[in-house]
Amino acid sequence: MDQNNYQLTVGASVNGKLLTPLIWSKGHNNNSNQKSTNNSKSEKFIIKLEQPLNTQSGFVVLPKGSRIVAQINNINERGFVSLQATQVLIDEEEYIL
């Protein structure tokens, strides 16, 4: 087995802190099937990992303190926000996803 071939389990998660605020109007429905009237969907948000993201075998994929850049994928009627990661910053090095 190639030792450089690591995979994350579907649904893997870690704690992170949102560094940029998410703000939208209460009546605004921003799903992926509609054109947004503002730029909230194209805005970037930054999440800082509070713990490392590891594979099941313990390999560190994203170290603690890594920053994930994401954009809004969907906001449902209850206010649940779905984000899509677009970049990762590890030790000031940027990786495009």
Side-chain angles (χ1 to χ4, degrees):
M1 180 176 181
D2 181 10
Q3 293 191 4
N4 293 325
N5 188 13
Y6 298 102
Q7 294 183 356
L8 290 170
T9 303
V10 173
S13 64
V14 294
N15 291 329
K17 182 177 183 178
L18 186 62
L19 299 180
T20 50
L22 290 169
I23 301 172
W24 65 93
S25 66
K26 187 174 182 178
H28 181 67
N29 181 7
N30 188 13
N31 69 38
S32 58
N33 295 326
Q34 294 180 339
K35 298 253 184 197
S36 177
T37 57
N38 62 28
N39 292 330
S40 66
K41 205 170 168 187
S42 62
E43 290 179 42
K44 303 289 182 167
F45 303 93
I46 300 173
I47 302 156
K48 182 178 179 181
L49 297 186
E50 295 183 333
Q51 61 191 71
L53 177 60
N54 301 326
T55 64
Q56 284 188 322
S57 63
F59 177 78
V60 177
V61 176
L62 296 175
K64 177 181 177 179
S66 296
R67 288 172 169 79
I68 297 173
V69 180
Q71 64 186 33
I72 294 175
N73 192 33
N74 186 34
I75 302 171
N76 75 13
E77 58 279 350
R78 292 186 175 175
F80 180 78
V81 179
S82 172
L83 298 174
Q84 179 175 351
T86 58
Q87 293 117 328
V88 175
L89 297 162
I90 303 172
D91 297 325
E92 306 305 320
E93 188 75 30
E94 180 181 16
Y95 301 90
I96 307 296
L97 302 176

